[in-house]
Amino acid sequence: MPTNVFFNHAVQTEQHLYEDLVVESLRIYGHDVFYLPREIVEEDTIFNEDVQSRYGDAYSVEMYIENTEGYEGEGDLMSKFGVQIRDSATFVLSLRTWERFVSLDSNLATSLRPNEGDLIYFPLTGSMFEIKFVEHEDPFYQVGKLFVFKLQCELFEYSGEDFDTDIARIDQIEDEQAYILSLIHISEPTRQAEISYAVFCLKK
């Protein structure tokens, strides 16, 4: 038996109203963050992973942290390699904000939704998060449409990525985490000094 034809759950005017309320709520209760799309400079086709990544753009958008009591995850753990911080967070981003400010970036793997591997910089705590999973169907088709993305993120671990966003707070991550070692090689025939620079990116 079909549903009642006199009740329509996908009225366009109601969808616009609901979306306006969602966007307004995110701007009231959310935070200003920076969304950094990842640009893959070199890719390993055998293991299907990026060897070198670059972040050259940063978009200021509003996002809401789902857990208002603080970060989620396992917290701070002591291991044989030192203290490991395993904070995680779930950020809520509106579909309208994504389409207007970020989706037109040419470095995105797909413009339909946020991409795993992209970064979110949270200025309030100075933390950088990496997107691990994007949930796009929660809440599930309210009034017949999707309005938000839920980004499940973990604290970012620097491993040699290049930051060139022209935002000092973000670009200094590379300056603080990258380690530069100068190697001097003297050739035997000419005894001339040839200086080469090797950059080793180490995690703190």
Side-chain angles (χ1 to χ4, degrees):
M1 176 129 185
T3 58
N4 195 321
V5 296
F6 297 102
F7 292 90
N8 189 350
H9 299 284
V11 180
Q12 191 172 12
T13 53
E14 292 182 357
Q15 291 177 348
H16 291 328
L17 174 61
Y18 188 87
E19 186 174 23
D20 291 339
L21 295 175
V22 169
V23 173
E24 184 179 4
S25 299
L26 292 177
R27 291 179 177 175
I28 293 175
Y29 299 105
H31 300 273
D32 288 329
V33 302
F34 290 96
Y35 186 96
L36 285 71
R38 178 180 61 171
E39 177 185 356
I40 299 178
V41 179
E42 182 181 355
E43 183 178 3
D44 188 342
T45 57
I46 298 177
F47 294 100
N48 195 24
E49 61 183 7
D50 60 302
V51 178
Q52 181 67 29
S53 299
R54 178 180 180 272
Y55 298 90
D57 298 316
Y59 300 94
S60 179
V61 295
E62 72 279 355
M63 291 189 189
Y64 175 75
I65 298 181
E66 195 170 50
N67 187 2
T68 58
E69 297 180 355
Y71 293 142
E72 303 171 352
E74 302 178 12
D76 301 344
L77 299 176
M78 179 64 70
S79 66
K80 62 180 179 181
F81 300 105
V83 178
Q84 294 183 354
I85 302 177
R86 298 183 179 179
D87 292 335
S88 62
T90 301
F91 292 89
V92 180
L93 172 67
S94 68
L95 178 64
R96 178 190 296 177
T97 300
W98 166 261
E99 292 178 344
R100 288 185 176 181
F101 299 105
V102 188
S103 65
L104 300 180
D105 192 282
S106 59
N107 295 323
L108 295 171
T110 174
S111 61
L112 301 178
R113 61 174 181 83
N115 299 175
E116 289 79 5
D118 294 350
L119 301 183
I120 297 175
Y121 178 72
F122 189 31
L124 182 63
T125 60
S127 303
M128 183 74 76
F129 289 89
E130 181 180 0
I131 299 176
K132 294 296 185 179
F133 180 74
V134 179
E135 177 58 64
H136 67 285
E137 292 183 334
D138 183 17
F140 186 77
Y141 290 94
Q142 292 184 325
V143 296
K145 190 178 179 181
L146 300 172
F147 300 99
V148 298
F149 299 106
K150 289 191 176 181
L151 316 178
Q152 299 178 10
C153 308
E154 294 181 359
L155 202 63
F156 174 67
E157 294 185 4
Y158 181 80
S159 58
E161 292 82 3
D162 294 332
F163 289 90
D164 189 16
T165 62
D166 293 332
I167 300 177
R169 292 174 294 175
I170 298 178
D171 294 343
Q172 72 180 3
I173 296 176
E174 180 181 359
D175 299 333
E176 295 175 353
Q177 299 290 338
Y179 180 71
I180 301 178
L181 177 65
S182 300
L183 302 177
I184 300 178
H185 171 70
I186 300 177
S187 58
E188 291 296 334
T190 58
R191 305 297 298 176
Q192 295 179 353
E194 299 175 355
I195 302 176
S196 60
Y197 297 92
V199 178
F200 299 90
C201 302
L202 304 176
K203 296 183 293 183
K204 281 189 175 181

